Amino acid sequence: MRPLEPISAGRRLALGILFFVLFFAAWALATLGGFVPKIFLADPLTMVRDGARLLTDFGFAADILITIWRVVGGFVLAALVAVPLGILMGAYKPIEAFFEPFISFARYLPASAFVPLLILWAGLGETQKLLVIFIGSVFQIVLMVAVNVGQTRRDLVEAAYTLGAGDYGIVRRVLIPMNAPEIAEILRLVLGWAWTYVIVAELIGSSAGIGHMIIDSQALMATGQIIFGILVIGLIGLVSDYLFKRLNQTLFPWRLA
Amino acid sequence: MSKLVIEGLGRVFPGVRGGAPVTALQPTDLVVADNEFVTILGPSGCGKSTLLRIVAGLDRPSSGRVVLDGREISGPGPDRGMVFQSYTLFPWLTIAENIAFGLLEKGLGAAETRAIVAAYVDKVGLRGFENHWPKQLSGGMQQRTAIARALANDPAILLLDEPFGALDNQTRALMQELLLGIWERERKTVLFVTHDIEEAIFVGSRCLVMSARPGRVKADIPIPLPHPRHYTMKTSPDFSALKARLTEEIRAEAVLAAAH
Ligand SMILES: Nc1ncnc2c1ncn2[C@@H]1O[C@H](COP(=O)(O)OP(=O)(O)O)[C@@H](O)[C@H]1O
Ligand SMILES: [Mg+2]
């Protein structure tokens, strides 16, 4: 091992899998070996059995789908508002000066703390769930996109001006295509955070969803089910992250060249 | 006929954090004739880029004005093509798309754009690389693309700010010949900034020597070497005499600049 020395794809995969193997081994040892009482932490076998039962007997697949729909819905709404606003703020300094102080403040408002208020305003329906995710994501995306666009290489902008681009052309033909890969990366990052907001939103006043299942299981002391729910979220995160990465690679081949 | 007229052009940058203002360019007068290849030679920090950027419309003068083809310039425009020292190809566009950037802005049709792009790809010797990304090309090839991109727009004047400054000596010499060849065939009006004396003589029809900070034009020297020029000319007595003269002019400035 030397600093920054690359490794082969095969070894990378093997090492990544090795961690999971060791993790499950340690977990199995702690629980099946009797070091941790069953009511605090279920063993892997119980977890798998509970999980299977959730899927077959309790319609957990529908819960998973509704949670995915909430995350994606709230996140897409946030992106539709935040990306254009962020681009405008990055490109035009007066617009940035107008919004930036408020958004920097709003960014630190914890989305989870809004849950009780949003229930008052929007009831217990889907609107409330989407709003939690929207509030949690929108300010983060705006600020990161604005910073990114604002840091566009000046010499590229100047080159475009000398080629006859106008102000609108600079935004459309330089700022947006130049920053599109980073914007996609920002969306990937924030989508990960949106998953934490959705669970919080579902823990309170919800009748469906992964978070709802988790809170129900707590009442039953069913730690196997809770862990299964958490693992499902992790797996979905892993898959969506991978898909997002592949999409970015196909959309922006020039980054890989 | 005068193509470009610069009258009393000066630039003072405000001091940074209460510091004294920096005079980058003392009021300068300059007349460039149609089809002239003017090289601007000076030590670094003497205001060469400042002068060029004002002509390009990327910076505003503190005093004076620039008139191109009888019209005072007030901002950047496609009539003044520019090639920068840094590599400024758009990384998300292929070589062909980079060259077409300005043509698209003009609203040219697809067929016409393709024809112009193909012609310039040939002129700068990049056939076969049309669909490459800029990253995949060497520095010299990127700068050739940048020259093609500027020329494809058919600007009234071409501005080059140390375009070969980041290239190795061998590549640089080839690029000089390429640029000179294009000029000999197409007779564009060119302002070419450099700090390399040989380069200033070899490609130019006239050389302006700038003094160290604050910058001003201290000598205006015609370069009467015949065209077409061949690289072997660099060892001719006429070339050597010009080189000796410019070395003398620039040396005093370099000493001054180094003392800063
Ligand atoms: N934007 C700027 N703000 C303040 N000072 C500047 C700015 N641009 C250039 N200068 C100063 O003006 C002088 C001339 O700069 P420049 O035209 O870039 O020189 P050259 O291209 O000949 O090396 C330098 O002393 C530089 O520090
Ligand atoms: Mg310079």
Side-chain angles (χ1 to χ4, degrees):
Chain A
M1 250 199 305
R2 318 193 67 173
L4 304 182
E5 197 183 10
I7 61 169
S8 72
R11 277 185 72 194
R12 172 175 295 278
L13 187 69
L15 285 170
I17 290 172
L18 179 65
F19 183 89
F20 282 94
V21 171
L22 290 178
F23 179 83
F24 274 90
W27 177 20
L29 185 73
T31 48
L32 296 173
F35 298 103
V36 180
K38 249 195 154 68
I39 60 164
F40 290 132
L41 185 61
D43 58 73
L45 296 176
T46 316
M47 190 272 297
V48 171
R49 211 177 317 115
D50 286 0
R53 215 155 41 87
L54 272 178
L55 288 170
T56 51
D57 301 354
F58 295 100
F60 186 50
D63 284 307
I64 295 176
L65 283 181
I66 191 129
T67 300
I68 292 179
W69 139 249
R70 285 167 180 161
V71 174
V72 173
F75 177 78
V76 167
L77 286 179
L80 284 178
V81 173
V83 171
L85 182 58
I87 290 171
L88 284 177
M89 282 171 62
Y92 296 100
K93 297 307 152 191
I95 299 181
E96 179 174 65
F98 181 70
F99 285 109
E100 210 261 354
F102 172 74
I103 293 178
S104 292
F105 155 78
R107 176 162 80 118
Y108 285 102
L109 303 177
S112 39
F114 275 88
V115 172
L117 260 188
L118 290 175
I119 292 177
L120 273 179
W121 295 343
L124 289 173
E126 292 306 304
T127 318
Q128 174 253 336
K129 310 285 183 296
L130 294 184
L131 277 175
V132 174
I133 291 151
F134 181 85
I135 290 176
S137 313
V138 72
F139 303 117
Q140 314 282 355
I141 301 177
V142 170
L143 280 187
M144 287 195 278
V145 169
V147 167
N148 222 286
V149 172
Q151 286 171 346
T152 306
R153 275 173 58 190
R154 287 292 178 278
D155 54 351
L156 293 187
V157 173
E158 290 182 341
Y161 272 126
T162 64
L163 290 166
D167 295 333
Y168 173 67
I170 293 292
V171 175
R172 192 175 62 85
R173 297 189 64 200
V174 180
L175 298 186
I176 292 177
M178 177 76 207
N179 292 293
E182 268 81 21
I183 292 175
E185 274 300 299
I186 290 168
L187 292 179
R188 187 169 74 88
L189 190 72
V190 175
L191 179 62
W193 301 346
W195 273 93
T196 56
Y197 309 133
V198 77
I199 301 304
V200 172
E202 288 177 348
L203 289 180
I204 304 170
S206 179
S207 54
I210 301 177
H212 168 252
M213 183 281 286
I214 288 178
I215 209 77
D216 267 5
S217 307
Q218 190 205 15
L220 304 168
M221 304 283 276
T223 53
Q225 295 184 16
I226 296 181
I227 293 171
F228 183 75
I230 295 172
L231 279 185
V232 166
I233 297 170
L235 276 178
I236 296 172
L238 199 67
V239 170
S240 79
D241 212 60
Y242 174 78
L243 292 179
F244 230 107
K245 258 190 208 159
R246 289 298 299 270
L247 181 69
N248 290 356
Q249 282 170 1
T250 42
L251 283 179
F252 312 113
W254 55 274
R255 294 284 303 233
L256 298 173
Chain B
M1 190 202 118
S2 61
K3 184 85 172 169
L4 180 77
V5 179
I6 291 174
E7 292 171 354
L9 195 73
R11 181 67 165 107
V12 181
F13 288 107
V16 191
R17 266 178 242 146
V22 177
T23 305
L25 192 65
Q26 281 185 343
T28 298
D29 296 303
L30 178 65
V31 175
V32 177
D34 207 3
N35 303 335
E36 241 184 330
F37 196 130
V38 179
T39 54
I40 301 172
L41 182 65
S44 85
C46 73
K48 307 183 295 293
S49 295
T50 303
L51 173 63
L52 216 61
R53 289 172 55 80
I54 294 174
V55 175
L58 296 173
D59 191 10
R60 288 183 177 282
S62 313
S63 64
R65 59 187 204 133
V66 178
V67 178
L68 178 67
D69 285 328
R71 280 193 312 275
E72 184 171 344
I73 65 132
S74 58
D79 53 340
R80 282 148 292 139
M82 178 123 172
V83 179
F84 301 78
Q85 175 172 6
S86 60
Y87 301 137
T88 56
L89 295 186
F90 304 117
W92 62 93
L93 299 179
T94 63
I95 296 308
E97 289 167 341
N98 262 284
I99 297 176
F101 189 94
L103 303 174
L104 229 68
E105 205 62 48
K106 276 186 183 164
L108 250 56
E112 203 177 341
T113 301
R114 221 176 305 122
I116 295 176
V117 168
Y120 279 96
V121 163
D122 275 347
K123 279 180 198 173
V124 297
L126 284 173
R127 196 186 289 188
F129 291 94
E130 293 92 333
N131 297 320
H132 282 55
W133 305 112
K135 267 207 239 185
Q136 298 169 315
L137 267 57
S138 68
M141 291 164 110
Q142 291 195 39
Q143 287 305 67
R144 277 188 267 160
T145 311
I147 292 172
R149 183 177 69 175
L151 285 175
N153 239 7
D154 194 23
I157 186 168
L158 183 64
L159 312 168
L160 302 107
D161 190 355
E162 305 199 28
F164 313 143
L167 305 177
D168 61 80
N169 275 330
Q170 287 70 30
T171 311
R172 172 188 273 252
L174 293 176
M175 297 284 288
Q176 291 165 2
E177 289 174 51
L178 178 104
L179 180 64
L180 192 59
I182 292 176
W183 182 79
E184 281 166 348
R185 271 177 274 123
E186 309 198 354
R187 296 280 158 169
K188 283 271 168 197
T189 310
V190 180
L191 285 188
F192 183 103
V193 163
T194 179
H195 60 250
D196 183 309
I197 296 174
E198 268 191 19
E199 183 168 88
I201 302 169
F202 183 62
V203 297
S205 51
R206 172 184 170 196
C207 179
L208 305 176
V209 179
M210 288 186 69
S211 67
R213 217 164 62 192
R216 79 193 155 73
V217 177
K218 67 168 276 189
D220 186 342
I221 298 166
I223 302 173
L225 301 172
H227 286 279
R229 295 177 188 171
H230 189 250
Y231 72 94
T232 48
M233 179 176 270
K234 289 184 182 175
T235 50
S236 73
D238 286 348
F239 194 95
S240 303
L242 277 166
K243 192 173 166 187
R245 171 150 183 226
L246 283 172
T247 307
E248 223 31 68
E249 294 278 1
I250 201 90
R251 202 187 127 73
E253 301 313 321
V255 169
L256 268 179
H260 266 276

PDB file of all heavy atoms in Angstrom, chain B residues 23-51:
ATOM      1  N   THR B  23      -1.212  51.369 -11.930  1.00  0.00           N
ATOM      2  CA  THR B  23      -1.336  51.794 -13.318  1.00  0.00           C
ATOM      3  C   THR B  23      -0.806  50.675 -14.191  1.00  0.00           C
ATOM      4  O   THR B  23       0.392  50.447 -14.264  1.00  0.00           O
ATOM      5  CB  THR B  23      -0.526  53.079 -13.582  1.00  0.00           C
ATOM      6  OG1 THR B  23      -0.959  54.071 -12.647  1.00  0.00           O
ATOM      7  CG2 THR B  23      -0.745  53.581 -14.994  1.00  0.00           C
ATOM      8  N   ALA B  24      -1.707  49.938 -14.834  1.00  0.00           N
ATOM      9  CA  ALA B  24      -1.289  48.812 -15.665  1.00  0.00           C
ATOM     10  C   ALA B  24      -0.881  49.306 -17.049  1.00  0.00           C
ATOM     11  O   ALA B  24       0.009  48.749 -17.678  1.00  0.00           O
ATOM     12  CB  ALA B  24      -2.411  47.796 -15.778  1.00  0.00           C
ATOM     13  N   LEU B  25      -1.546  50.355 -17.495  1.00  0.00           N
ATOM     14  CA  LEU B  25      -1.297  50.851 -18.851  1.00  0.00           C
ATOM     15  C   LEU B  25      -1.365  52.374 -18.836  1.00  0.00           C
ATOM     16  O   LEU B  25      -2.379  52.944 -18.442  1.00  0.00           O
ATOM     17  CB  LEU B  25      -2.359  50.277 -19.800  1.00  0.00           C
ATOM     18  CG  LEU B  25      -2.125  50.449 -21.289  1.00  0.00           C
ATOM     19  CD1 LEU B  25      -0.898  49.674 -21.726  1.00  0.00           C
ATOM     20  CD2 LEU B  25      -3.354  49.979 -22.068  1.00  0.00           C
ATOM     21  N   GLN B  26      -0.253  53.019 -19.248  1.00  0.00           N
ATOM     22  CA  GLN B  26      -0.273  54.470 -19.371  1.00  0.00           C
ATOM     23  C   GLN B  26      -0.956  54.827 -20.673  1.00  0.00           C
ATOM     24  O   GLN B  26      -0.920  54.042 -21.620  1.00  0.00           O
ATOM     25  CB  GLN B  26       1.159  55.001 -19.370  1.00  0.00           C
ATOM     26  CG  GLN B  26       1.732  55.072 -17.975  1.00  0.00           C
ATOM     27  CD  GLN B  26       3.102  55.716 -17.946  1.00  0.00           C
ATOM     28  OE1 GLN B  26       3.750  55.827 -18.975  1.00  0.00           O
ATOM     29  NE2 GLN B  26       3.526  56.108 -16.779  1.00  0.00           N
ATOM     30  N   PRO B  27      -1.573  56.009 -20.738  1.00  0.00           N
ATOM     31  CA  PRO B  27      -2.296  56.377 -21.963  1.00  0.00           C
ATOM     32  C   PRO B  27      -1.467  56.084 -23.212  1.00  0.00           C
ATOM     33  O   PRO B  27      -0.349  56.557 -23.357  1.00  0.00           O
ATOM     34  CB  PRO B  27      -2.560  57.861 -21.770  1.00  0.00           C
ATOM     35  CG  PRO B  27      -2.699  57.990 -20.287  1.00  0.00           C
ATOM     36  CD  PRO B  27      -1.719  57.008 -19.685  1.00  0.00           C
ATOM     37  N   THR B  28      -2.038  55.277 -24.079  1.00  0.00           N
ATOM     38  CA  THR B  28      -1.320  54.758 -25.244  1.00  0.00           C
ATOM     39  C   THR B  28      -2.076  55.079 -26.518  1.00  0.00           C
ATOM     40  O   THR B  28      -3.306  54.988 -26.557  1.00  0.00           O
ATOM     41  CB  THR B  28      -1.211  53.220 -25.117  1.00  0.00           C
ATOM     42  OG1 THR B  28      -0.467  52.909 -23.945  1.00  0.00           O
ATOM     43  CG2 THR B  28      -0.553  52.598 -26.329  1.00  0.00           C
ATOM     44  N   ASP B  29      -1.325  55.494 -27.537  1.00  0.00           N
ATOM     45  CA  ASP B  29      -1.925  55.692 -28.866  1.00  0.00           C
ATOM     46  C   ASP B  29      -1.341  54.652 -29.803  1.00  0.00           C
ATOM     47  O   ASP B  29      -0.158  54.327 -29.719  1.00  0.00           O
ATOM     48  CB  ASP B  29      -1.595  57.091 -29.401  1.00  0.00           C
ATOM     49  CG  ASP B  29      -2.216  58.173 -28.535  1.00  0.00           C
ATOM     50  OD1 ASP B  29      -3.444  58.147 -28.370  1.00  0.00           O
ATOM     51  OD2 ASP B  29      -1.469  59.007 -27.983  1.00  0.00           O
ATOM     52  N   LEU B  30      -2.198  54.159 -30.696  1.00  0.00           N
ATOM     53  CA  LEU B  30      -1.726  53.125 -31.605  1.00  0.00           C
ATOM     54  C   LEU B  30      -2.655  53.067 -32.804  1.00  0.00           C
ATOM     55  O   LEU B  30      -3.875  53.156 -32.648  1.00  0.00           O
ATOM     56  CB  LEU B  30      -1.725  51.777 -30.863  1.00  0.00           C
ATOM     57  CG  LEU B  30      -1.318  50.535 -31.644  1.00  0.00           C
ATOM     58  CD1 LEU B  30       0.139  50.631 -32.060  1.00  0.00           C
ATOM     59  CD2 LEU B  30      -1.533  49.284 -30.788  1.00  0.00           C
ATOM     60  N   VAL B  31      -2.062  52.964 -33.980  1.00  0.00           N
ATOM     61  CA  VAL B  31      -2.875  52.768 -35.180  1.00  0.00           C
ATOM     62  C   VAL B  31      -2.391  51.499 -35.868  1.00  0.00           C
ATOM     63  O   VAL B  31      -1.203  51.344 -36.125  1.00  0.00           O
ATOM     64  CB  VAL B  31      -2.760  53.969 -36.146  1.00  0.00           C
ATOM     65  CG1 VAL B  31      -3.521  53.683 -37.430  1.00  0.00           C
ATOM     66  CG2 VAL B  31      -3.279  55.234 -35.481  1.00  0.00           C
ATOM     67  N   VAL B  32      -3.303  50.596 -36.119  1.00  0.00           N
ATOM     68  CA  VAL B  32      -2.955  49.344 -36.796  1.00  0.00           C
ATOM     69  C   VAL B  32      -3.634  49.339 -38.157  1.00  0.00           C
ATOM     70  O   VAL B  32      -4.840  49.565 -38.254  1.00  0.00           O
ATOM     71  CB  VAL B  32      -3.416  48.127 -35.964  1.00  0.00           C
ATOM     72  CG1 VAL B  32      -3.127  46.832 -36.706  1.00  0.00           C
ATOM     73  CG2 VAL B  32      -2.734  48.133 -34.602  1.00  0.00           C
ATOM     74  N   ALA B  33      -2.821  49.081 -39.191  1.00  0.00           N
ATOM     75  CA  ALA B  33      -3.371  49.080 -40.553  1.00  0.00           C
ATOM     76  C   ALA B  33      -4.022  47.741 -40.850  1.00  0.00           C
ATOM     77  O   ALA B  33      -3.756  46.745 -40.188  1.00  0.00           O
ATOM     78  CB  ALA B  33      -2.264  49.366 -41.556  1.00  0.00           C
ATOM     79  N   ASP B  34      -4.861  47.759 -41.869  1.00  0.00           N
ATOM     80  CA  ASP B  34      -5.525  46.538 -42.313  1.00  0.00           C
ATOM     81  C   ASP B  34      -4.460  45.504 -42.693  1.00  0.00           C
ATOM     82  O   ASP B  34      -3.454  45.831 -43.317  1.00  0.00           O
ATOM     83  CB  ASP B  34      -6.384  46.874 -43.536  1.00  0.00           C
ATOM     84  CG  ASP B  34      -7.561  45.919 -43.651  1.00  0.00           C
ATOM     85  OD1 ASP B  34      -7.717  45.069 -42.759  1.00  0.00           O
ATOM     86  OD2 ASP B  34      -8.321  46.055 -44.623  1.00  0.00           O
ATOM     87  N   ASN B  35      -4.673  44.268 -42.276  1.00  0.00           N
ATOM     88  CA  ASN B  35      -3.787  43.144 -42.619  1.00  0.00           C
ATOM     89  C   ASN B  35      -2.424  43.176 -41.938  1.00  0.00           C
ATOM     90  O   ASN B  35      -1.549  42.407 -42.296  1.00  0.00           O
ATOM     91  CB  ASN B  35      -3.549  43.039 -44.130  1.00  0.00           C
ATOM     92  CG  ASN B  35      -4.845  42.900 -44.888  1.00  0.00           C
ATOM     93  OD1 ASN B  35      -5.835  42.434 -44.328  1.00  0.00           O
ATOM     94  ND2 ASN B  35      -4.854  43.316 -46.119  1.00  0.00           N
ATOM     95  N   GLU B  36      -2.232  44.063 -40.995  1.00  0.00           N
ATOM     96  CA  GLU B  36      -0.967  44.084 -40.290  1.00  0.00           C
ATOM     97  C   GLU B  36      -0.919  42.969 -39.253  1.00  0.00           C
ATOM     98  O   GLU B  36      -1.938  42.621 -38.655  1.00  0.00           O
ATOM     99  CB  GLU B  36      -0.796  45.437 -39.578  1.00  0.00           C
ATOM    100  CG  GLU B  36       0.405  46.195 -40.063  1.00  0.00           C
ATOM    101  CD  GLU B  36       0.627  47.492 -39.290  1.00  0.00           C
ATOM    102  OE1 GLU B  36      -0.350  48.103 -38.798  1.00  0.00           O
ATOM    103  OE2 GLU B  36       1.775  47.888 -39.192  1.00  0.00           O
ATOM    104  N   PHE B  37       0.272  42.417 -39.037  1.00  0.00           N
ATOM    105  CA  PHE B  37       0.481  41.438 -37.971  1.00  0.00           C
ATOM    106  C   PHE B  37       1.367  42.113 -36.933  1.00  0.00           C
ATOM    107  O   PHE B  37       2.581  42.192 -37.092  1.00  0.00           O
ATOM    108  CB  PHE B  37       1.154  40.176 -38.523  1.00  0.00           C
ATOM    109  CG  PHE B  37       1.072  38.980 -37.607  1.00  0.00           C
ATOM    110  CD1 PHE B  37       0.626  37.755 -38.094  1.00  0.00           C
ATOM    111  CD2 PHE B  37       1.436  39.073 -36.265  1.00  0.00           C
ATOM    112  CE1 PHE B  37       0.548  36.634 -37.261  1.00  0.00           C
ATOM    113  CE2 PHE B  37       1.365  37.968 -35.431  1.00  0.00           C
ATOM    114  CZ  PHE B  37       0.923  36.749 -35.926  1.00  0.00           C
ATOM    115  N   VAL B  38       0.737  42.646 -35.897  1.00  0.00           N
ATOM    116  CA  VAL B  38       1.473  43.410 -34.896  1.00  0.00           C
ATOM    117  C   VAL B  38       1.787  42.525 -33.700  1.00  0.00           C
ATOM    118  O   VAL B  38       0.875  41.939 -33.103  1.00  0.00           O
ATOM    119  CB  VAL B  38       0.651  44.626 -34.421  1.00  0.00           C
ATOM    120  CG1 VAL B  38       1.410  45.404 -33.354  1.00  0.00           C
ATOM    121  CG2 VAL B  38       0.313  45.517 -35.604  1.00  0.00           C
ATOM    122  N   THR B  39       3.065  42.411 -33.367  1.00  0.00           N
ATOM    123  CA  THR B  39       3.415  41.664 -32.158  1.00  0.00           C
ATOM    124  C   THR B  39       3.699  42.660 -31.050  1.00  0.00           C
ATOM    125  O   THR B  39       4.250  43.734 -31.280  1.00  0.00           O
ATOM    126  CB  THR B  39       4.639  40.761 -32.386  1.00  0.00           C
ATOM    127  OG1 THR B  39       5.718  41.541 -32.889  1.00  0.00           O
ATOM    128  CG2 THR B  39       4.312  39.661 -33.375  1.00  0.00           C
ATOM    129  N   ILE B  40       3.283  42.318 -29.853  1.00  0.00           N
ATOM    130  CA  ILE B  40       3.469  43.182 -28.694  1.00  0.00           C
ATOM    131  C   ILE B  40       4.380  42.447 -27.728  1.00  0.00           C
ATOM    132  O   ILE B  40       4.042  41.375 -27.223  1.00  0.00           O
ATOM    133  CB  ILE B  40       2.124  43.515 -28.032  1.00  0.00           C
ATOM    134  CG1 ILE B  40       1.216  44.215 -29.050  1.00  0.00           C
ATOM    135  CG2 ILE B  40       2.321  44.375 -26.804  1.00  0.00           C
ATOM    136  CD1 ILE B  40      -0.203  44.429 -28.568  1.00  0.00           C
ATOM    137  N   LEU B  41       5.560  43.029 -27.509  1.00  0.00           N
ATOM    138  CA  LEU B  41       6.610  42.348 -26.767  1.00  0.00           C
ATOM    139  C   LEU B  41       6.877  43.110 -25.477  1.00  0.00           C
ATOM    140  O   LEU B  41       6.966  44.333 -25.477  1.00  0.00           O
ATOM    141  CB  LEU B  41       7.872  42.313 -27.641  1.00  0.00           C
ATOM    142  CG  LEU B  41       9.122  41.614 -27.144  1.00  0.00           C
ATOM    143  CD1 LEU B  41       8.869  40.131 -26.990  1.00  0.00           C
ATOM    144  CD2 LEU B  41      10.276  41.862 -28.123  1.00  0.00           C
ATOM    145  N   GLY B  42       6.994  42.410 -24.377  1.00  0.00           N
ATOM    146  CA  GLY B  42       7.316  43.102 -23.128  1.00  0.00           C
ATOM    147  C   GLY B  42       7.457  42.122 -21.993  1.00  0.00           C
ATOM    148  O   GLY B  42       6.950  40.998 -22.068  1.00  0.00           O
ATOM    149  N   PRO B  43       8.136  42.546 -20.926  1.00  0.00           N
ATOM    150  CA  PRO B  43       8.287  41.663 -19.764  1.00  0.00           C
ATOM    151  C   PRO B  43       6.938  41.431 -19.099  1.00  0.00           C
ATOM    152  O   PRO B  43       6.000  42.195 -19.320  1.00  0.00           O
ATOM    153  CB  PRO B  43       9.229  42.440 -18.845  1.00  0.00           C
ATOM    154  CG  PRO B  43       9.046  43.866 -19.226  1.00  0.00           C
ATOM    155  CD  PRO B  43       8.724  43.874 -20.684  1.00  0.00           C
ATOM    156  N   SER B  44       6.829  40.405 -18.314  1.00  0.00           N
ATOM    157  CA  SER B  44       5.524  40.104 -17.733  1.00  0.00           C
ATOM    158  C   SER B  44       5.145  41.181 -16.722  1.00  0.00           C
ATOM    159  O   SER B  44       5.995  41.764 -16.051  1.00  0.00           O
ATOM    160  CB  SER B  44       5.531  38.715 -17.102  1.00  0.00           C
ATOM    161  OG  SER B  44       6.021  38.786 -15.796  1.00  0.00           O
ATOM    162  N   GLY B  45       3.874  41.496 -16.680  1.00  0.00           N
ATOM    163  CA  GLY B  45       3.370  42.522 -15.771  1.00  0.00           C
ATOM    164  C   GLY B  45       3.393  43.916 -16.373  1.00  0.00           C
ATOM    165  O   GLY B  45       3.095  44.891 -15.685  1.00  0.00           O
ATOM    166  N   CYS B  46       3.725  44.040 -17.672  1.00  0.00           N
ATOM    167  CA  CYS B  46       3.837  45.382 -18.247  1.00  0.00           C
ATOM    168  C   CYS B  46       2.528  45.854 -18.875  1.00  0.00           C
ATOM    169  O   CYS B  46       2.474  46.930 -19.439  1.00  0.00           O
ATOM    170  CB  CYS B  46       4.972  45.432 -19.265  1.00  0.00           C
ATOM    171  SG  CYS B  46       4.595  44.573 -20.795  1.00  0.00           S
ATOM    172  N   GLY B  47       1.486  45.058 -18.785  1.00  0.00           N
ATOM    173  CA  GLY B  47       0.193  45.533 -19.266  1.00  0.00           C
ATOM    174  C   GLY B  47      -0.205  45.023 -20.640  1.00  0.00           C
ATOM    175  O   GLY B  47      -1.156  45.521 -21.234  1.00  0.00           O
ATOM    176  N   LYS B  48       0.496  44.014 -21.152  1.00  0.00           N
ATOM    177  CA  LYS B  48       0.162  43.472 -22.478  1.00  0.00           C
ATOM    178  C   LYS B  48      -1.241  42.875 -22.486  1.00  0.00           C
ATOM    179  O   LYS B  48      -2.041  43.161 -23.362  1.00  0.00           O
ATOM    180  CB  LYS B  48       1.171  42.372 -22.886  1.00  0.00           C
ATOM    181  CG  LYS B  48       2.625  42.793 -22.813  1.00  0.00           C
ATOM    182  CD  LYS B  48       3.567  41.695 -23.288  1.00  0.00           C
ATOM    183  CE  LYS B  48       3.579  40.437 -22.409  1.00  0.00           C
ATOM    184  NZ  LYS B  48       4.134  40.628 -21.072  1.00  0.00           N
ATOM    185  N   SER B  49      -1.518  42.030 -21.478  1.00  0.00           N
ATOM    186  CA  SER B  49      -2.843  41.404 -21.429  1.00  0.00           C
ATOM    187  C   SER B  49      -3.919  42.457 -21.223  1.00  0.00           C
ATOM    188  O   SER B  49      -4.999  42.379 -21.821  1.00  0.00           O
ATOM    189  CB  SER B  49      -2.912  40.381 -20.294  1.00  0.00           C
ATOM    190  OG  SER B  49      -2.031  39.323 -20.544  1.00  0.00           O
ATOM    191  N   THR B  50      -3.624  43.437 -20.387  1.00  0.00           N
ATOM    192  CA  THR B  50      -4.594  44.496 -20.129  1.00  0.00           C
ATOM    193  C   THR B  50      -4.972  45.195 -21.429  1.00  0.00           C
ATOM    194  O   THR B  50      -6.164  45.397 -21.717  1.00  0.00           O
ATOM    195  CB  THR B  50      -4.005  45.516 -19.132  1.00  0.00           C
ATOM    196  OG1 THR B  50      -3.627  44.817 -17.950  1.00  0.00           O
ATOM    197  CG2 THR B  50      -5.008  46.589 -18.799  1.00  0.00           C
ATOM    198  N   LEU B  51      -3.960  45.526 -22.229  1.00  0.00           N
ATOM    199  CA  LEU B  51      -4.219  46.192 -23.511  1.00  0.00           C
ATOM    200  C   LEU B  51      -5.103  45.316 -24.408  1.00  0.00           C
ATOM    201  O   LEU B  51      -6.122  45.766 -24.952  1.00  0.00           O
ATOM    202  CB  LEU B  51      -2.880  46.488 -24.204  1.00  0.00           C
ATOM    203  CG  LEU B  51      -2.956  47.045 -25.631  1.00  0.00           C
ATOM    204  CD1 LEU B  51      -3.651  48.396 -25.636  1.00  0.00           C
ATOM    205  CD2 LEU B  51      -1.559  47.175 -26.236  1.00  0.00           C
TER     206      LEU B  51
END
